[in-house]
Amino acid sequence: MRDSRRLPMATHVESLDNGLKVILRPIPDTRALSCWVTYRVGSRNEVPGMTGSTHWVEHMLFKGGGKLAKGEIDHLISRVGGKMNAFTDTDFTTYFETIPASDMDTALMIESERMRNAAFDPKEVESERTVVISEREGAENQPEFLTEEELWGLAFHVHPYHWTAIGYKQDLARLDRDPLYAHYLRYYAPNNAFLTLVGGFDPAVAMQHVREAFSPLKPEPEPPPMRLVEPEQHGERRSDLERPGATDLLFAGWHIPPFVHEDTPALLLLTTVLGGWRGLTSFAAGDWRPRSNRLYRALVDAKLATDVAVRQDLKIDPTLLIASVTLADRVPLDRIEAVLDREVERLQKTPPSKAELDRAKGQVRSWQRYEHDGVTFQGVLLSTLEALSSWDADEALLEKVERVRPEAVRGAARRYLVPEHRSVVRFHAQGASG
């Protein structure tokens, strides 16, 4: 064992000899437990011809292997009244179970088995090919998916953020079992993963159970680093899509730095002032939309749009700040774009007032408290932050947010929300008026 230490916030961190990092956050008097195992692999680790492979691997890890028969994971979790899921991001893949704390060993057994012993039965691989292609085709029926996929492909020409985690249909149709399995073996190793436990347990007892479940697993050679860097964009990029849909959409994305950059606190508040804040993860936000922000007032309250959102996509590498607008009936796209430009220009010329910035900071504080409500929310928050930088990054980030001054928000708008770093996608809904 190495790197064993007690840390603030009643959180304990240790690393096993095989490289698995373990993050334990005990919550006294809690009878539930949330177990998260996160792998440092996402669609950013894919190459052309294998897009969607990481998401496909995620599907295969519910198909059994080792001690787990097909369908047994669902049976084991349902039997104790728990819930489970998994998701593949651009930067990481994570699996979780939220169950009674007394059933900790069930979650640990499931995760230790699928870390190295997933079967990848050829028949199951072919069966799941149909599933992931169907998922892709279902997404293609959603105008929002098509518009966002076009935006990322437009904004990134070199970096793998060019494609989405679901991958391209032609790659899903051709990918064979062996390279898929090799992708799993390369990245699904204890030294490329970390485990997060939140809930009702004694840390010393939990750590002993973790050792018993995961210590026998052998590490793999370190995966190759992702060396591709997106060149700076030197001119606005635009695309128009014409597809069936109920209403027109406008998506705009500006290049911004990665999560760990010093400008992130100011950009976070810029996002909140323009479009509201919905937390560091989308897990807790659901479909909720903030309304006390400039674009909502300028577009939705003015009956020009039915929905508007602004988000700062938090990622390991340089990423995008995205504004998305669902247009009201018969409103021209040009008018929406003019309002967006006006609000951005207004923020570039004049810093937000102290009162407006204080409200934005209050939103961030409220979401930070909300994302610590319950074992599942804390599990996803700790796991996401650890994947991006460090599990305790939100405390330091919140302190920096509190120190941001109005001029810093204006400075971020002037530095990043510029036309030469922007990509714009306009979705023209066939069959819709306007």
Side-chain angles (χ1 to χ4, degrees):
M1 188 195 330
R2 60 187 183 277
D3 191 27
S4 176
R5 51 204 167 108
R6 184 179 177 91
L7 293 158
M9 298 178 62
T11 304
H12 304 249
V13 179
E14 297 189 12
S15 292
L16 304 184
D17 288 338
N18 59 15
L20 179 69
K21 186 173 184 177
V22 182
I23 303 166
L24 305 176
R25 175 168 288 180
I27 302 178
D29 303 320
T30 300
R31 296 184 178 181
L33 173 145
S34 200
C35 174
W36 294 72
V37 173
T38 305
Y39 297 88
R40 300 184 187 278
V41 57
S43 53
R44 74 188 283 272
N45 302 102
E46 297 167 355
V47 297
M50 285 192 66
T51 68
S53 55
T54 309
H55 175 243
W56 193 343
V57 166
E58 176 215 309
H59 280 230
M60 295 308 303
L61 266 64
F62 287 89
K63 297 294 184 178
K67 298 177 183 178
L68 297 168
K70 179 184 175 182
E72 190 172 3
I73 295 175
D74 182 62
H75 171 73
L76 288 170
I77 300 303
S78 298
R79 186 181 64 184
V80 299
K83 62 180 179 180
M84 65 170 186
N85 213 328
F87 56 86
T88 303
D89 189 63
T90 52
D91 296 331
F92 61 91
T93 307
T94 192
Y95 303 77
F96 81 93
E97 300 85 20
T98 298
I99 55 175
S102 57
D103 292 292
M104 176 194 298
D105 285 339
T106 298
L108 295 179
M109 184 275 288
I110 289 171
E111 296 305 337
S112 62
E113 283 300 304
R114 63 180 168 191
M115 182 174 283
R116 301 305 291 159
N117 296 324
F120 282 77
D121 179 273
K123 293 182 179 179
E124 293 298 332
V125 171
E126 285 306 309
S127 174
E128 208 60 26
R129 184 193 307 276
T130 303
V131 173
V132 294
I133 289 178
S134 177
E135 189 173 339
R136 166 78 209 193
E137 291 174 340
E140 290 173 354
N141 291 326
Q142 303 299 320
E144 292 80 6
F145 169 82
L146 293 173
T147 307
E148 178 145 339
E149 182 177 55
E150 181 76 5
L151 179 67
W152 288 94
L154 199 62
F156 288 88
H157 289 177
V158 174
H159 192 282
Y161 289 162
H162 176 82
W163 53 78
T164 62
I166 201 169
Y168 296 128
K169 186 176 178 179
Q170 63 268 26
D171 291 347
L172 299 174
R174 297 172 182 172
L175 189 60
D176 292 329
R177 184 264 184 191
D178 288 349
L180 195 68
Y181 185 58
H183 189 70
Y184 161 71
L185 291 178
R186 168 178 282 182
Y187 291 101
Y188 277 70
N191 53 316
N192 197 49
F194 58 91
L195 182 150
T196 305
L197 286 179
V198 180
F201 55 80
D202 177 271
V205 174
M207 196 64 220
Q208 182 57 38
H209 286 239
V210 170
R211 290 190 199 99
E212 292 170 359
F214 289 91
S215 288
L217 305 181
K218 295 180 179 179
E220 289 288 321
E222 288 289 330
M226 209 292 295
R227 293 190 172 92
L228 295 175
V229 177
E230 184 67 23
E232 184 177 356
Q233 183 175 330
H234 292 290
E236 186 177 70
R237 299 169 184 169
R238 305 181 68 88
S239 179
D240 286 87
L241 298 179
E242 293 189 12
R243 298 286 295 273
T247 186
D248 294 345
L249 304 171
L250 176 72
F251 277 51
W254 293 265
H255 286 278
I256 59 172
F259 175 70
V260 298
H261 196 272
E262 61 183 7
D263 286 339
T264 292
L267 282 164
L268 186 152
L269 288 170
L270 182 156
T271 299
T272 308
V273 168
L274 269 183
W277 186 244
R278 302 173 67 240
L280 291 171
T281 74
S282 60
F283 197 86
D287 294 328
W288 182 81
R289 285 287 190 267
R291 299 181 180 181
S292 60
N293 58 77
R294 293 187 179 189
L295 285 179
Y296 193 95
R297 292 193 296 269
L299 292 171
V300 180
D301 286 350
K303 309 301 183 184
L304 300 176
T306 60
D307 190 26
V308 62
V310 177
R311 77 175 193 267
Q312 179 181 350
D313 243 46
L314 305 176
K315 295 189 182 297
I316 291 175
D317 297 324
T319 176
L320 295 178
L321 187 149
I322 299 174
S324 57
V325 184
T326 303
L327 277 67
D329 190 31
R330 300 182 184 279
V331 174
L333 278 158
D334 286 344
R335 186 174 181 187
I336 297 297
E337 194 167 342
V339 173
L340 177 61
D341 290 343
R342 182 193 73 201
E343 292 301 323
V344 168
E345 184 178 358
R346 188 160 71 96
L347 193 55
Q348 290 171 333
K349 288 183 175 179
T350 307
S353 68
K354 183 179 183 301
E356 185 178 26
L357 195 59
D358 285 344
R359 285 197 300 271
K361 291 177 180 180
Q363 286 187 36
V364 175
R365 285 194 300 270
S366 296
W367 270 104
Q368 201 246 8
R369 289 192 292 268
Y370 182 52
E371 289 184 304
H372 284 81
D373 182 22
V375 297
T376 303
F377 283 1
Q378 288 197 52
V380 68
L381 178 63
L382 292 171
S383 299
T384 300
L385 291 173
E386 176 66 23
L388 295 176
S389 62
S390 175
W391 62 268
D392 57 351
D394 64 325
E395 294 292 337
L397 179 60
L398 190 63
E399 292 177 2
K400 292 176 182 177
V401 165
E402 295 289 357
R403 296 196 296 267
V404 171
R405 297 180 180 274
E407 184 58 39
V409 175
R410 183 176 82 124
R414 298 179 71 174
R415 189 155 48 251
Y416 297 110
L417 303 191
V418 294
E420 58 266 30
H421 293 164
R422 182 172 77 165
S423 298
V424 178
V425 181
R426 294 154 54 115
F427 181 90
H428 303 264
Q430 294 176 341
S433 57

